[in-house]
Amino acid sequence: MAQTFDVCIRGAGIVGRTLALLLARERLRVALVAPAQPRSQHKDVRAYALNASSRAVLQSLRCWPDDEDATPVLGMQVFGDLDGQVQFDAASQDVEALAWIVDVPALEQRLSEAVRYQPQVEIVKEPVEAALTAVCEGRASSTRTEFGVDFSVTPYFQHAIATRLRCEISHGGIARQWFTPEGILAFLPMGGTEGHEVAVVWSLEKSLVPEWLDSDEESFTTRLQAISQNALGQLELTAERATWPLQQAVADRWCGPLTQNSTQSWVLAGDAAHNVHPLAGQGLNLGLGDVQALARILQERDYWRSPADLKLLRQYERERKASLAPMGLAMDGLQQLFARPEVPVQMLRNWGMKGFERSGPIKSWMARQAMGLL
């Protein structure tokens, strides 16, 4: 007898696998499309800043990485290009950590193992028929295009360079970020709160990327040491450099029927639905927020409603678009503000940073919003 599925998930990354596990927990039969991938010869240097909400859902699925692969952020320091500065710390917010910097390969391995032992999930190589098709393929989703969805992209004319560094001085569990007219440099602590390793995300004007992507190690680390104001001492490159273009984007529709008069539907989640600038590290948190909301809405549905019910899917779309809007506006505004090299603009933004640092309740609200506590 042919296997029947409630949901077919296209895309087996972190968002897709998390959704599969959440739906399987609700006794839905899930097909997860995961074509065989060639083994890469390069180390994956990505790291994500996950907030308390993302951590809670991954812990509930028993997929949270070990301590050495999930470093708590005890504080954050943000530096402007003049003398503006903003600081956050976990103690003042009465929380364990502002976020956790998670090694991507470690998290992917945990999710992969959990999926393999979940009987409600079947790994398939090609899409199969199901009541609902969930598209979690990422920003370059071919299925989104197949379904005729318009993906409105605003390019930033910036690329991110990511790598890993070993630092002379321990990072102390502090995430650091420097805004400069040249770009935005972030050092994300890894290897425990007393560790000496940081994940690097350096957002640069597109024209500058080839120079720094191909530069010798000494020139590269010397430049990062200068931008970081020698905060962590001598820097040693420990991984290859990777790069990708930055953009803000959102799909015009997040759900719909597979065909006219069809009882089957599709829905978008994660980067297939939206992209934001990585300067606040919220991209994966937004994607995991999507799948939590979708799983909750499907779990709470009336027993007679199909997972493909468009009323439910539109409820999900409205809820998540409302959550995305302020974050997207804030990230776009900050990126545009710090991309301006004019001296009056530099003075204005650094004045704004100083004011925000003294803002008290506003600063606290923003911190808790980013932590997923509101």
Side-chain angles (χ1 to χ4, degrees):
M1 182 181 296
Q3 177 68 64
T4 59
F5 295 98
D6 299 299
V7 183
C8 175
I9 300 174
R10 300 195 189 185
I14 293 172
V15 170
R17 290 181 187 273
T18 301
L19 178 60
L21 293 169
L22 288 171
L23 297 180
R25 193 164 64 181
E26 304 305 329
R27 310 306 299 168
L28 292 174
R29 286 289 299 155
V30 178
L32 180 64
V33 182
Q37 298 291 332
R39 184 179 295 275
S40 174
Q41 300 300 313
H42 304 292
K43 177 183 177 181
D44 190 336
V45 298
R46 292 175 299 156
Y48 287 120
L50 297 185
N51 62 24
S53 177
S54 296
R55 183 186 187 224
V57 71
L58 290 167
Q59 285 181 323
S60 75
L61 296 171
R62 299 182 179 180
C63 292
W64 188 248
D66 294 333
D67 289 348
E68 61 266 25
D69 296 314
T71 299
V73 177
L74 305 181
M76 184 172 184
Q77 299 174 352
V78 182
F79 304 91
D81 46 356
L82 293 177
D83 57 349
Q85 186 177 152
V86 176
Q87 299 194 46
F88 300 93
D89 68 273
S92 67
Q93 297 295 327
D94 195 27
V95 294
E96 179 184 355
L98 297 175
W100 286 261
I101 306 303
V102 174
D103 184 56
V104 168
L107 176 56
E108 288 180 333
Q109 182 179 1
R110 283 298 183 92
L111 287 165
S112 179
E113 290 173 355
V115 165
R116 189 164 63 248
Y117 292 108
Q118 171 52 261
Q120 292 290 111
V121 179
E122 182 172 330
I123 303 293
V124 296
K125 294 183 178 180
E126 297 179 348
V128 298
E129 187 171 337
L132 176 64
T133 295
V135 183
C136 305
E137 293 172 327
R139 62 196 291 176
S141 170
S142 59
T143 302
R144 184 185 60 222
T145 303
E146 174 189 330
F147 291 162
V149 178
D150 181 43
F151 197 54
S152 179
V153 176
T154 303
Y156 283 125
F157 304 106
Q158 286 185 328
H159 284 223
I161 295 178
T163 190
R164 300 283 176 89
L165 296 174
R166 179 163 182 80
C167 310
E168 178 185 9
I169 301 170
S170 168
H171 52 63
I174 306 298
R176 295 170 171 87
Q177 194 169 42
W178 293 267
F179 285 81
T180 74
E182 182 181 13
I184 305 167
L185 175 64
F187 283 179
L188 308 177
M190 302 194 73
T193 55
E194 298 305 318
H196 288 255
E197 183 184 10
V198 296
V200 176
V201 182
W202 190 15
S203 303
L204 281 169
E205 291 299 319
K206 181 179 178 181
S207 61
L208 299 175
V209 170
E211 173 188 355
W212 293 112
L213 192 64
D214 299 325
S215 66
D216 63 85
E217 293 186 12
E218 183 178 358
S219 298
F220 184 77
T221 55
T222 298
R223 183 61 189 141
L224 296 191
Q225 194 168 327
I227 296 173
S228 63
Q229 302 163 12
N230 205 35
L232 298 179
Q234 290 292 120
L235 305 176
E236 177 188 354
L237 196 64
T238 59
E240 296 183 359
R241 284 159 272 185
T243 186
W244 61 89
L246 301 181
Q247 63 186 35
Q248 177 163 299
V250 64
D252 65 335
R253 294 178 295 133
W254 290 23
C255 63
L258 274 183
T259 58
Q260 191 173 9
N261 302 320
S262 173
T263 59
Q264 299 173 319
S265 301
W266 57 266
V267 65
L268 305 181
D271 281 355
H274 50 75
N275 305 158
V276 296
H277 196 285
L279 64 88
Q282 291 299 312
L284 183 55
N285 289 315
L286 291 170
L288 292 176
D290 291 348
V291 297
Q292 290 179 74
L294 180 59
R296 171 178 50 77
I297 288 169
L298 294 182
Q299 187 271 330
E300 293 174 352
R301 75 187 191 280
D302 296 321
Y303 73 91
W304 47 269
R305 287 189 184 276
S306 163
D309 192 310
L310 283 171
K311 181 178 179 180
L312 300 175
L313 301 179
R314 289 179 181 130
Q315 176 188 342
Y316 154 79
E317 178 177 1
R318 289 192 301 270
E319 180 178 318
R320 293 308 297 161
K321 279 186 174 179
S323 296
L324 173 68
M327 182 64 68
L329 286 172
M331 295 308 98
D332 184 59
L334 281 172
Q335 192 281 331
Q336 298 290 349
L337 181 63
F338 278 90
R340 298 282 298 276
E342 298 92 338
V343 172
V345 178
Q346 286 184 321
M347 296 175 65
L348 176 62
R349 63 192 175 220
N350 281 273
W351 172 82
M353 290 183 74
K354 292 177 183 178
F356 180 77
E357 174 66 6
R358 297 190 296 266
S359 64
I362 296 175
K363 177 182 170 183
S364 180
W365 182 87
M366 285 289 290
R368 299 187 77 79
Q369 182 81 12
M371 288 187 285
L373 299 176
L374 295 176

